[in-house]
DNA sequence: ACCTTGCTAAACATCC
DNA sequence: AGGATGTTTAGCAAGG
C-alpha cells in the first residue's frame, strides 16, 4: 500500500487500491448527473450509476440541498454505459443536462469538444434552484494543488519527464495566473518536487544544462490521478495547440503517454491506465465524451477501494479501444474482441 | 484539540 | 559572481 512508502496526499487517509482494482476518482455530483443524463438523453442508457456504493436509479437521490457545494465535495461514483438503464426520461432535463454550466466555466472549449454521435438539442435553460458556482477565472489562482499542476505538466510531456524550467513554463502557459503571481510559487514547485515522493529526479539529459529531469514515480501515479480527480474542476487549456479541426477530435498528443500505453499491444496497460485515460478524457471534454463510447463500454469511476465489482477484461479492453479511437490513436494490432 | 495536508517563506548548498 | 536548481526547515491556514 502506498501509505507505507509515501506521505498521503490531502484528504487521503487510507491506502490506494492495488493495480487492477478500481481506482479512486471521485466526481462532483453535478458532473455525475451530467454524465448520466447526457448518456440518457443521447439515446443511450446507464446500466448503473453508483454513488458511495449506493445504486442511483432516481436522480432525486442526488438532488439535495448541498448542490451548490458540488464542486467542493466530490462524490465517488461508478457510471457504466449499458443497455438496461432505468433513468428518468430526457424531458426532465433542466440545467443539469445542458453543458452550458461547463461552458460558462470555460471548461469545455469548442475546438476540443469531440463531435457527438447523436446530438440532442439542449432544451432552453430553466432557472437553477441553487446559485451557480462562481465562475472560474483562468487568470485566478487555479484550484489545483502544486502536486497536481506538476503532475499535469509532466504527464503532458511527450517524454513524461520535464526539467523544472519546463514545468514552470507549462504551468504558466495553462494557468496565466502564475505569469504575474509572486515568485514564491516557483519555490513551491521546487519544494513540492523535492518533498513529494510522487516525483523523482532522473539523470539530466545531455545538453540539458543545469538541473535534472523530473518524472512521476509509476508507483505513485495512480495516487496522483486520484488527487487529480479530487480537484474541483477540470483544467483549462488557455493556449490550445492547433488541432485538426476537420476531424474535430481530441489531440492525440495531449496525453501521449496514455495514448502510447493504450496502444501498446506487447505490454498491456493496467486497469489504472485505462481508467486514467477515461477520467482524463471525461474531465477534459465533459460528459459528451461518453457519446463516443460503444454502448457496451464501461466508464468506471469509484472511490471505493473495497469496490469488488467484477468486470471482464473484454469490457475494459473495448472501453480502451473506444478511447483510443477517440484520441485518434489506432493500435497497430487491434486486440481481438 | 489534535493531526494531516498544502502553501509560503526563507536559508542554504550546489551547479553552470 | 550571479542565477537557477535542489534541499531543508519553519510557520501558518484549512479541513477532518
Amino acid at each position: 500500500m502506498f501509505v507505507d512508502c509515501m506521505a498521503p496526499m490531502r484528504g487521503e487517509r487510507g491506502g490506494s487500491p492495488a493495480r487492477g482494482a478500481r481506482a479512486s476518482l471521485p466526481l462532483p455530483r453535478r458532473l455525475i448527473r451530467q454524465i448520466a443524463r447526457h448518456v440518457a438523453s443521447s439515446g443511450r442508457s446507464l446500466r448503473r450509476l453508483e454513488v458511495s456504493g449506493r445504486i442511483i436509479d432516481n436522480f432525486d437521490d442526488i438532488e439535495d440541498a448541498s448542490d451548490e457545494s458540488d464542486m467542493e465535495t466530490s462524490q465517488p461514483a461508478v457510471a457504466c454505459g449499458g443497455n438496461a438503464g432505468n433513468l428518468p426520461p430526457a424531458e426532465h432535463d433542466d440545467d443539469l443536462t445542458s453543458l452550458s454550466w461547463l461552458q460558462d466555466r470555460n471548461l469545455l472549449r469548442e475546438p476540443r469538444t469531440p463531435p457527438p454521435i447523436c446530438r440532442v438539442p439542449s432544451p432552453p435553460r430553466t432557472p437553477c434552484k441553487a446559485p451557480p458556482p462562481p465562475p472560474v477565472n483562468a487568470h485566478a489562482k487555479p484550484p489545483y494543488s502544486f502536486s497536481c499542476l506538476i503532475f499535469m505538466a509532466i504527464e503532458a510531456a511527450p517524454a513524461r519527464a520535464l526539467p523544472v524550467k519546463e514545468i514552470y513554463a507549462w504551468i504558466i502557459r495553462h494557468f496565466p495566473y502564475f505569469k504575474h503571481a509572486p515568485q514564491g510559487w516557483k519555490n513551491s514547485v521546487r519544494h513540492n518536487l523535492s518533498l513529494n515522493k510522487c516525483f523523482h529526479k532522473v539523470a539530466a539529459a545531455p545538453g540539458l544544462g543545469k538541473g535534472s529531469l523530473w518524472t512521476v514515480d509509476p508507483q505513485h501515479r495512480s495516487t496522483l490521478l486520484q488527487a487529480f480527480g479530487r480537484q474541483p474542476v477540470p483544467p483549462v487549456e488557455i493556449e490550445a495547440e492547433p488541432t485538426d479541426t476537420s476531424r474535430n477530435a481530441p489531440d492525440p498528443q495531449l496525453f501521449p503517454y496514455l495514448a502510447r500505453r493504450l496502444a501498446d499491444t506487447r505490454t498491456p496497460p493496467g486497469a489504472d491506465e485505462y481508467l486514467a485515460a477515461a477520467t482524463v478524457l471525461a474531465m477534459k471534454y465533459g460528459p459528451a465524451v461518453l457519446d463516443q463510447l460503444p454502448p457496451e463500454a464501461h466508464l468506471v469511476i469509484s472511490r471505493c477501494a473495497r469496490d469488488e465489482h467484477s468486470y471482464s477484461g473484454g469490457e475494459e479492453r473495448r472501453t480502451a479501444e473506444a478511447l483510443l479511437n477517440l484520441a485518434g490513436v489506432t493500435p497497430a494490432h487491434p486486440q481481438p474482441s
Side-chain angles (χ1 to χ4, degrees):
Chain A
M1 301 292 273
F2 293 132
V3 286
D4 292 335
C5 53
M6 66 169 289
M9 305 195 63
R10 181 192 285 273
E12 218 167 29
R13 294 292 183 269
S16 299
R19 184 180 185 85
R22 299 271 79 79
S24 165
L25 291 161
L27 289 181
R29 287 184 190 178
R30 186 181 291 268
L31 187 50
I32 294 169
R33 286 195 300 272
Q34 285 280 347
I35 291 173
R37 292 236 176 163
H38 198 76
V39 170
S41 68
S42 63
R44 298 155 54 87
S45 61
L46 285 181
R47 185 154 58 201
R48 183 177 68 243
L49 177 66
E50 187 174 323
V51 177
S52 298
R54 188 164 54 115
I55 303 296
I56 301 298
D57 54 6
N58 181 346
F59 280 89
D60 290 340
D61 286 355
I62 51 178
E63 296 271 7
D64 62 20
S66 63
D67 208 21
E68 58 270 78
S69 62
D70 279 348
M71 303 311 286
E72 283 74 39
T73 56
S74 300
Q75 292 298 313
V78 176
C80 303
N83 300 321
N86 51 356
L87 295 172
E91 58 265 26
H92 287 190
D93 272 349
D94 52 14
D95 60 307
L96 300 177
T97 300
S98 164
L99 294 181
S100 55
W101 72 274
L102 283 170
Q103 297 280 9
D104 290 345
R105 295 162 66 90
N106 195 24
L107 301 179
L108 281 180
R109 306 178 75 250
E110 211 50 51
R112 293 285 193 177
T113 305
I117 292 172
C118 39
R119 172 70 72 192
V120 175
S122 298
R125 293 195 64 177
T126 55
C128 185
K129 284 172 285 187
V136 172
N137 184 346
H139 291 264
K141 189 173 184 178
Y144 301 102
S145 67
F146 279 109
S147 60
C148 285
L149 292 174
I150 296 168
F151 170 63
M152 285 189 277
I154 295 176
E155 201 70 12
R160 292 182 66 236
L162 283 179
V164 171
K165 204 169 185 176
E166 292 299 315
I167 294 175
Y168 295 158
W170 188 95
I171 291 175
I172 290 175
R173 188 163 63 246
H174 291 77
F175 301 97
Y177 161 82
F178 289 104
K179 193 176 286 184
H180 304 292
Q183 285 299 299
W185 73 272
K186 291 182 178 179
N187 190 8
S188 295
V189 168
R190 295 196 305 274
H191 166 84
N192 215 290
L193 286 169
S194 291
L195 212 64
N196 197 326
K197 291 181 173 61
C198 296
F199 305 116
H200 275 178
K201 196 170 55 176
V202 298
L208 183 65
K210 81 176 73 170
S212 310
L213 289 174
W214 291 90
T215 63
V216 174
D217 185 339
Q219 282 191 312
H220 296 138
R221 207 163 158 277
S222 58
T223 305
L224 282 168
L225 277 167
Q226 293 164 33
F228 181 73
R230 276 194 299 272
Q231 303 299 322
V233 294
V236 179
E237 287 275 334
I238 298 304
E239 297 176 15
E241 313 294 335
T243 56
D244 183 355
T245 51
S246 65
R247 198 166 173 276
N248 199 25
D251 182 359
Q253 296 304 310
L254 196 56
F255 301 102
Y257 169 74
L258 289 174
R260 208 166 52 241
R261 285 292 295 132
L262 293 178
D264 188 348
T265 56
R266 289 172 304 177
T267 311
D272 63 328
E273 286 162 332
Y274 292 140
L275 191 57
T279 304
V280 162
L281 287 169
M283 292 190 74
K284 182 156 192 64
Y285 300 110
V289 72
L290 298 186
D291 288 345
Q292 311 299 312
L293 299 179
E296 70 274 16
H298 281 239
L299 173 61
V300 182
I301 300 168
S302 174
R303 163 176 284 171
C304 306
R306 64 179 185 278
D307 207 349
E308 297 294 346
H309 306 306
S310 60
Y311 298 95
S312 74
E315 287 165 337
E316 283 186 334
R317 189 178 60 241
R318 282 193 294 275
T319 301
E321 288 171 359
L323 288 164
L324 275 177
N325 292 333
L326 183 60
V329 176
T330 305
H333 309 288
Q335 301 180 26
S337 57

